[in-house]
Amino acid sequence: METVVVAPPASAPVPVTLRKLYFLRFAFAAVWAALLFTTADALGPLSTALLLIYPLFDVAAAVVDVRSARANGGPAAPLYANIAISSLTVLALALAATSGIPAVLRVWGAWAVAAGIVQLVTGAVRRRLGGQWPMIVSGALSTLAGLSFVTQAGADDPSLNSLAGYAFLGGVFFLASALRLGRGARGPA
């Protein structure tokens, strides 16, 4: 039995929009991670602002993604879930930041688990677009990382360093997915 996989046409708006969005998400994650890494040992105004900006950026990216998906008949339900989860996370992080790094790690961990599951589901639903395996793997790893953040919250000297590494790795998965989407748009290699 032979399976034929039809790639979307090169002019397909969803992969082009996703590809641009994924490149942007990689760049944002890399810059954000570098900035957080420099302030990760203490919870000050800059690190708190960075902690709130990350899920806000996630909300904005999901809104762009929803608009593209709706305009092209793609699945939007998981993206709406992501918007809700990330919006609540901004509020929870603002409260957690007043209690210290362990509280932040717990909230970030819960967000990583929930957002990871949503990302995994979204990638699975979008498999036909191509370039989604990195998103599926990233979603699964995010879920595991979230559990480790919760565990790290109980450590003797918790730090935000692991969040910088998490964001950067997530950005690398967005980059891999963008590159795979670009390869799919050019046809089989």
Side-chain angles (χ1 to χ4, degrees), residues 7-84:
S11 62
V14 172
V16 170
T17 301
L18 277 180
R19 188 168 192 243
K20 289 178 182 178
L21 183 61
Y22 288 176
F23 277 127
L24 177 63
R25 291 191 73 149
F26 164 71
F28 175 82
V31 169
W32 184 91
L35 290 172
L36 184 67
F37 189 73
T38 64
T39 64
D41 291 332
L43 196 54
L46 180 57
S47 58
T48 299
L50 288 169
L51 290 169
L52 299 177
I53 288 169
Y54 197 91
L56 282 172
F57 182 83
D58 194 56
V59 169
V63 167
V64 170
D65 204 346
V66 163
R67 287 181 180 162
S68 172
R70 282 194 357 219
N72 296 289
L79 298 170
Y80 285 121
N82 188 55
I83 290 168

Side-chain angles (χ1 to χ4, degrees), residues 102-132:
V104 168
L105 287 171
R106 286 183 191 97
V107 169
W108 196 282
W111 178 45
V113 168
I117 291 168
V118 170
Q119 185 178 24
L120 194 152
V121 169
T122 303
V125 170
R126 287 181 165 169
R127 276 190 337 264
R128 67 177 175 78
L129 296 176
Q132 294 303 300

Side-chain angles (χ1 to χ4, degrees), residues 138-158:
S138 178
L141 290 175
S142 179
T143 302
L144 295 174
L147 296 173
S148 77
F149 298 144
V150 172
T151 301
Q152 290 172 27
D156 289 335
D157 190 22

